């Protein structure tokens, strides 16, 4: 059954709806973030088992700093404790963990745990798990442009070296293009998630809130992906369409 399915190489998930999940249950929004983090761990294993090679998740956007300090602080502590607590989980499952985003203004405490997990998992060749934390795609493009200008100024590259692949190699992480982007909770926007990488992705917007987006929901999403006809500017695969 699995063999017959086309498996996207790189999946992106905009994990939205944690707050609403909690509010609906009369809980604090932070309880939704905790439930979302628990769900992500299960989902990560399931997605790796399906044969996906790259998983990018949107954990915290540069814009999320606009939220109340208490919620931001809770999320930062959650990232810190989850990465620490799940250190063995990543090691045992040979998951290569990388982060995308700006380091400023993350605390030293959070940055140190991020660096530690990245360093310890860097040689794994199972799933690459890209956590977008303090991430915004528009600033990623700005930062990449500055980096490339510096290389040019230093005489390390010629103008003609700059092509789409070169830009990809110089984004926060050098990852292949996204094949499939899922945003939970029914919102129909990218909210500054991986614009360059998602230029030819397929999109799926289930109504389900992220803490409820379980393994079965992911399998449903895979079926949706399998019914898409990806043409990349070419012609229909199914000539009857
Ligand atoms: C997504 O859930 C998690 C983060 C943005 C950190 P939200 O917190 O945005 O949940 P809703 O959209 O308010 O329900
Ligand atoms: C996008 O969700 C960011 C993450 C899921 C981390 P938001 O809830 O912040 O996005 P908007 O505000 O609805 O666009
Ligand atoms: Mg939201």
């Amino acid at each position: 059954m699995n063999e017959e399915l086309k498996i996207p190489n790189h999946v992106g998930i905009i994990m939205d709806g944690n707050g609403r999940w909690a509010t609906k249950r009369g809980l604090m929004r932070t309880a939704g973030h905790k439930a979302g983090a628990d769900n992500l761990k299960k989902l990560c294993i399931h997605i790796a088992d399906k044969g996906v090679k790259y998983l990018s998740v949107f954990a915290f956007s540069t814009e999320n700093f606009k939220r109340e300090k208490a919620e931001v602080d809770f999320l930062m502590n959650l990232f810190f404790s989850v990465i620490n607590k799940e250190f063995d989980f990543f090691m045992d499952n040979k998951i290569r963990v990388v982060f995308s985003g700006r380091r400023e203004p993350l605390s030293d405490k959070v940055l140190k745990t991020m660096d530690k997990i990245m360093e310890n998992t860097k040689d794994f060749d199972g799933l690459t798990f890209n956590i977008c934390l303090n991430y915004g795609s528009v600033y990623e493009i700005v930062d990449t442009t500055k980096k490339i200008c510096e290389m040019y100024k230093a005489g390390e590259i010629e103008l003609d070296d700059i092509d789409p692949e070169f830009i990809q190699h110089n984004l926060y992480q050098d990852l292949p293009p996204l094949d499939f982007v899922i945003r939970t909770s029914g919102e129909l926007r990218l909210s500054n998630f991986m614009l360059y990488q998602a230029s030819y992705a397929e999109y799926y917007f289930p109504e389900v809130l992220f803490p409820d987006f379980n393994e079965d929901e992911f399998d449903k999403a895979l079926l949706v992906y399998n019914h898409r006809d990806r043409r990349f500017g070419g012609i229909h695969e199914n000539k009857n369409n």
Side-chain angles (χ1 to χ4, degrees):
M1 166 76 182
N2 214 356
E3 289 81 57
E4 294 158 23
L5 280 179
K6 279 183 279 179
I7 303 297
N9 184 49
H10 188 178
V11 172
I13 306 182
I14 303 172
M15 308 185 291
D16 201 10
N18 292 347
R20 278 164 283 171
W21 182 92
T23 307
K24 262 174 49 182
R25 286 165 176 74
L27 302 169
M28 305 266 286
R29 289 176 56 83
T30 49
H33 296 314
K34 173 79 180 63
D38 293 342
N39 184 44
L40 179 59
K41 181 179 172 185
K42 285 185 277 165
L43 209 49
C44 187
I45 286 293
H46 182 70
I47 291 175
D49 284 348
K50 287 282 165 190
V52 171
K53 289 286 172 218
Y54 297 86
L55 172 64
S56 291
V57 295
F58 207 178
F60 192 90
S61 73
T62 41
E63 291 76 20
N64 288 148
F65 275 110
K66 290 181 195 156
R67 296 187 181 195
E68 275 184 22
K69 188 174 179 302
E71 184 171 345
V72 172
D73 288 349
F74 179 90
L75 282 163
M76 292 299 153
N77 282 324
L78 184 68
F79 300 142
F80 173 78
S81 64
V82 168
I83 300 166
N84 272 316
K85 194 168 107 233
E86 303 305 346
F87 192 86
D88 291 342
F89 164 79
F90 292 123
M91 296 298 288
D92 294 347
N93 289 289
K94 308 245 173 300
I95 296 173
R96 180 168 78 108
V97 181
V98 297
F99 291 89
S100 292
R102 283 189 160 182
R103 291 174 73 88
E104 273 283 309
L106 299 179
S107 70
D108 279 351
K109 188 175 118 172
V110 171
L111 289 170
K112 269 196 195 124
T113 97
M114 288 163 58
D115 291 343
K116 185 173 160 215
I117 190 75
M118 264 196 290
E119 180 56 29
N120 280 275
T121 62
K122 70 177 188 318
D123 296 324
F124 290 152
D125 59 2
L127 179 76
T128 294
F129 184 39
N130 173 40
I131 305 174
C132 296
L133 204 170
N134 191 23
Y135 175 83
S137 187
V138 168
Y139 267 111
E140 178 175 38
I141 292 169
V142 169
D143 291 342
T144 298
T145 306
K146 286 185 181 167
K147 184 173 152 191
I148 294 175
C149 286
E150 291 295 344
M151 289 182 205
Y152 180 69
K153 246 172 50 186
E156 293 163 11
I157 56 163
E158 307 276 331
L159 270 191
D160 284 346
D161 291 332
I162 305 172
D163 62 10
E165 284 72 33
F166 187 81
I167 292 183
Q168 178 193 303
H169 298 323
N170 285 288
L171 293 169
Y172 291 141
Q173 294 294 335
D174 181 2
L175 303 170
L178 279 160
D179 297 293
F180 193 32
V181 173
I182 301 166
R183 181 176 187 147
T184 55
S185 88
E187 305 293 349
L188 304 180
R189 58 181 168 271
L190 285 179
S191 302
N192 210 1
F193 180 67
M194 300 183 90
L195 307 178
Y196 191 86
Q197 299 88 334
S199 59
Y200 238 119
E202 295 294 328
Y203 293 88
Y204 176 55
F205 298 101
E207 290 292 326
V208 52
L209 305 172
F210 184 70
D212 293 330
F213 187 80
N214 59 17
E215 293 95 324
D216 288 346
E217 292 291 337
F218 183 78
D219 291 348
K220 267 198 245 169
L222 264 188
L223 289 180
V224 170
Y225 178 78
N226 273 262
H227 285 99
R228 300 284 171 86
D229 178 11
R230 302 188 76 192
R231 295 193 290 280
F232 299 101
I235 53 166
H236 287 257
E237 230 172 65
N238 180 351
K239 307 268 181 330
N240 298 325
N241 278 345

